[in-house]
Amino acid sequence: MEGSSGQAESRGKTSRVADSEAARLVNEGREVKVADLGILGGSTEQTVRLVDKADETSSMKKARERAEERGLKVTFFVGDNLVIKDKAGEWISTRAYIKGKHVFVRADHSLYTADQLMRHEIGHDMIAKGEVDINAVRERIEQTVGKEYIDEVAKLYADAYADTGMSAEEIWEECICDSLGDMNIFAGKETVGTFMGAMLPEISAAASES
């Protein structure tokens, strides 16, 4: 779904940072309200800190490079997730967000680097522009690993996003984008995490063939 990376869970503030270089930025940068970023439905109370271009880490620079190759503008922020109202009017907490040609990426997330989150958001951009067909991706994977495996992936994601109000198609899009970002949202869960760790590369490869 265009708009978010990780609506199924809210990480909030954390002392652990996936990109070790970004840990120093947590209390740096100009503090702004989410609404002031120009995001429709952004919170007028919750704040984040903007990262100056001169302070960007290696991961952030790579993420910016990817964005600019596609003509996208990027804003990096730290301190917390973005709090935004979704299309149903519910508040969601998201670590990255794309709308049109502007991508907002959290640089100090606990599990994923800015580059991983950017790859996820670029997946949404590719799907929106017709460069990746989500149904064709599923068909390719079914031919490669079998329908029963991809049905299990779909079920796991449907359960993870059960309370978001997202359609099955939107949830499947999240799965594809997670694969492009090498983001295993089930990591740490012994059986499921291992299963998804094996499936995500297959999904990413199928998406890359589009």
Side-chain angles (χ1 to χ4, degrees), residues 19 21 53 56-70 72 74 76 105 113-119 122:
D19 178 4
E21 292 182 66
K53 190 172 182 178
E56 290 179 7
T57 67
S58 298
S59 180
M60 294 163 71
K61 289 176 181 177
K62 183 62 179 177
R64 178 179 292 281
E65 181 181 324
R66 293 182 194 277
E68 292 180 347
E69 284 177 353
R70 296 187 59 81
L72 300 173
V74 58
F76 294 112
V105 174
T113 66
D115 186 47
Q116 286 179 284
L117 293 172
M118 180 59 75
R119 282 185 276 144
I122 285 176

Side-chain angles (χ1 to χ4, degrees), residues 15-204:
S15 58
R16 182 182 182 278
V17 180
D19 178 4
S20 59
E21 292 182 66
R24 59 183 170 79
L25 302 174
V26 174
N27 296 312
E28 301 294 328
R30 180 166 60 91
E31 189 172 26
V32 298
K33 294 179 180 179
V34 176
D36 293 336
L37 294 173
I39 297 175
L40 184 65
S43 172
T44 58
E45 297 182 1
Q46 189 247 359
T47 63
V48 295
R49 291 185 179 274
L50 302 182
V51 178
D52 291 333
K53 190 172 182 178
D55 293 326
E56 290 179 7
T57 67
S58 298
S59 180
M60 294 163 71
K61 289 176 181 177
K62 183 62 179 177
R64 178 179 292 281
E65 181 181 324
R66 293 182 194 277
E68 292 180 347
E69 284 177 353
R70 296 187 59 81
L72 300 173
K73 177 183 178 182
V74 58
T75 295
F76 294 112
F77 63 92
V78 296
D80 208 341
N81 288 348
L82 299 177
V83 173
I84 306 168
K85 272 191 178 179
D86 65 11
K87 61 185 180 182
E90 300 292 330
W91 289 107
I92 61 170
S93 175
T94 184
R95 52 207 172 206
Y97 182 89
I98 182 170
K99 192 65 178 177
K101 293 186 175 181
H102 200 156
V103 190
F104 301 85
V105 174
R106 183 172 180 178
D108 66 332
H109 192 265
S110 62
L111 299 178
Y112 310 117
T113 66
D115 186 47
Q116 286 179 284
L117 293 172
M118 180 59 75
R119 282 185 276 144
H120 177 109
E121 297 307 317
I122 285 176
H124 286 299
D125 187 54
M126 294 169 67
I127 291 169
K129 292 176 179 176
E131 297 170 29
V132 173
D133 183 322
I134 63 174
N135 294 318
V137 170
R138 179 161 185 154
E139 290 173 3
R140 289 193 192 98
I141 302 168
E142 286 184 359
Q143 294 171 1
T144 303
V145 301
K147 186 176 184 300
E148 66 274 21
Y149 289 100
I150 202 61
D151 283 348
E152 179 62 20
V153 170
K155 181 180 184 302
L156 288 170
Y157 263 80
D159 289 345
Y161 282 80
D163 298 324
T164 65
M166 294 169 66
S167 68
E169 186 175 72
E170 290 170 335
I171 294 171
W172 176 236
E173 179 173 331
E174 288 298 326
C175 177
I176 292 173
C177 293
D178 280 348
S179 77
L180 294 172
D182 191 24
M183 295 163 55
N184 184 354
I185 65 172
F186 302 97
K189 298 180 180 179
E190 188 173 349
T191 303
V192 176
T194 301
F195 171 71
M196 284 306 303
M199 289 300 300
L200 287 175
E202 298 287 349
I203 299 170
S204 178

